[in-house]
Amino acid sequence: MPWISKAALHTRRPCQDAPNHFLNGGATIEQLPLSALIGPADIIDVPDSTNVTADALRALDVPADATRLLFRTLNTRRRLMEVTPFASDYVGLDASAARWLAKERPGVVLVGIDYVSIGMLEDIVEAHKELFRKGTVVVEGLDLSAAPTGRHHLTCLPLLLVGSDGAPGRCILQTNSQGASK
């Protein structure tokens, strides 16, 4: 069973953002629903030349019954989580992708990505806000390099930091070959 995360708080290691990181009055880390952090998760490979936009999502094979999506992008192939300087050209979601998920995949309760922010730099605030307004849990900084594409079982738990806008976490992916439900 591969570990797909290490630990940190809004840094270069996987963490969960809480809605109050971007929304005034939003939920804090201990108010995130644990049910969103445990369950089936689909690893989606994003083509190298694109950010995650609504158009990109339409072109990808995002399962209609998806509940948790983990985006493996060029960030993984560039090994950005292992590089010390911040890479401003990282791949992330824009607000149109967050709106597409809310409309076309309303069952998605968690979205994760393989770099320090779910939102692309040029749209970082609005991408986060769109996800948080829908109640989507955000997990950032995932190491998806060894995980196979497809549906697996995710357990991703934040450190309990009462009142915090984020927390380091441990994420474990149980792959189908290890008995995860399909």
Side-chain angles (χ1 to χ4, degrees), residues 56-100:
L57 289 173
R58 278 189 277 278
L60 293 170
D61 185 23
V62 178
D65 64 344
T67 54
R68 291 162 200 82
L69 297 174
L70 308 178
F71 292 103
R72 180 172 34 218
T73 70
L74 181 60
N75 301 331
T76 290
R77 290 176 283 289
R78 290 176 60 199
R79 303 175 71 101
L80 291 184
M81 288 300 293
E82 299 172 23
V83 177
T84 301
F86 176 74
S88 61
D89 61 342
Y90 69 91
V91 174
L93 279 75
D94 73 356
S96 76
R99 287 189 295 272
W100 186 91

Side-chain angles (χ1 to χ4, degrees), residues 3-63:
W3 289 96
I4 59 170
S5 72
K6 296 174 184 133
L9 175 62
H10 299 303
T11 61
R12 296 193 163 271
R13 298 291 175 239
C15 70
Q16 287 84 37
D17 269 348
N20 75 331
H21 188 54
F22 284 93
L23 297 177
N24 289 332
T28 56
I29 200 72
E30 79 279 5
Q31 296 169 327
L32 293 179
L34 291 179
S35 61
L37 295 159
I38 303 169
D42 293 283
I43 295 182
I44 306 294
D45 284 311
V46 178
D48 283 353
S49 62
T50 185
N51 276 300
V52 184
T53 64
D55 287 340
L57 289 173
R58 278 189 277 278
L60 293 170
D61 185 23
V62 178

Side-chain angles (χ1 to χ4, degrees), residues 15-17 109-112 118 128 131-132 136-140:
C15 70
Q16 287 84 37
D17 269 348
V109 296
L110 179 144
V111 177
I118 194 77
H128 277 86
L131 291 167
F132 290 144
T136 305
V137 172
V138 170
V139 181
E140 300 166 330

